[in-house]
Amino acid sequence: MSVFAYTPPRDALSKVRRRATQWRAARPAKLQFEQPLLSICFDDFPVSACEEGARILEAHGARGTFYAAAGMAATDGPCGRNFSAPDITRLLNAGHEIGCHTFEHADCARRPTFESLRSFAKNRDTLNEMGAREPARSLAYPYGETTYTLKKGLPPRFYSARGVLPGVNVGRVDLAQLRAHALFGEGWRARMNGALKRAAKRKGWVIAFTHDIAEAPSPWGTRGQDLDALLKQAHALGFIVLPVTAALERRLP
Ligand SMILES: [Zn+2]
């Protein structure tokens, strides 16, 4: 069964709720950095992300954040085969971050808060059995879907949670719903270019996310050469590329 067979509701009311949730900050913070930052995230995540994606990042001296939904481990999805236990150990040994993406890739806007919290805990315990050495410090909501109640009730172990609405994280932000840019979909390069330029000027933090990395990626994935070009561009603009939690730790007091 493919989890991508599910898509969150797209009716007008859901869209309004989604916007309202993004704008209602549960963990307001003011972020400032000494230099612009870029974080590359791989959601779910497919084997090609931890092989090809990690290799490309490492070739640039960079590391990424891999948001794991442990319930999808070792299954086949529309982005290819998903990670298994040895990938967790290998990524951690190389200095990458493992984040939480719920256990079963749940739409957190369409279930009781308690069930989402239980899913985070189940994911933590399963990833621990798979070799994760400590509980995830960062969370990414599947489909970017959440509620104000959930944002407000996040376990304190999560230093940040990430959505999928675009924007540069600098100045006033919501640490319970950081903004992120997709590295796929119509026109992503232009949007990413714009975000990098704005962030370079304001010393902001750009979070980018994708799924598979391949020559011919899925509609939710990115070509390796495009990821490579993005990292080159970010470097030329003075960005440092860090996993999400390491980037957040660079915030100025
Ligand atoms: Zn996902």
Side-chain angles (χ1 to χ4, degrees), residues 3-4 43-45 67 69 72 101 105 140-144 162 211:
V3 294
F4 278 69
D43 290 0
D44 298 355
F45 51 84
Y67 286 100
M72 293 168 75
H101 200 42
H105 205 269
Y141 306 108
Y143 321 99
R162 202 209 77 209
H211 297 85

Side-chain angles (χ1 to χ4, degrees), residues 134-145:
E134 54 171 71
R137 299 293 175 203
S138 58
L139 168 74
Y141 306 108
Y143 321 99
E145 293 289 287

Side-chain angles (χ1 to χ4, degrees), residues 69-82:
M72 293 168 75
T75 62
D76 289 308
C79 299
R81 186 83 181 162
N82 288 312

Side-chain angles (χ1 to χ4, degrees), residues 62-115:
R63 302 294 185 268
T65 301
F66 293 74
Y67 286 100
M72 293 168 75
T75 62
D76 289 308
C79 299
R81 186 83 181 162
N82 288 312
F83 78 97
S84 53
D87 298 316
I88 298 288
T89 307
R90 196 163 46 79
L91 288 170
L92 287 173
N93 285 344
H96 298 278
E97 176 181 19
I98 303 296
C100 174
H101 200 42
T102 75
F103 177 79
E104 63 283 82
H105 205 269
D107 178 343
C108 294
R110 308 262 294 167
R111 48 158 54 193
T113 299
F114 173 75
E115 275 184 35

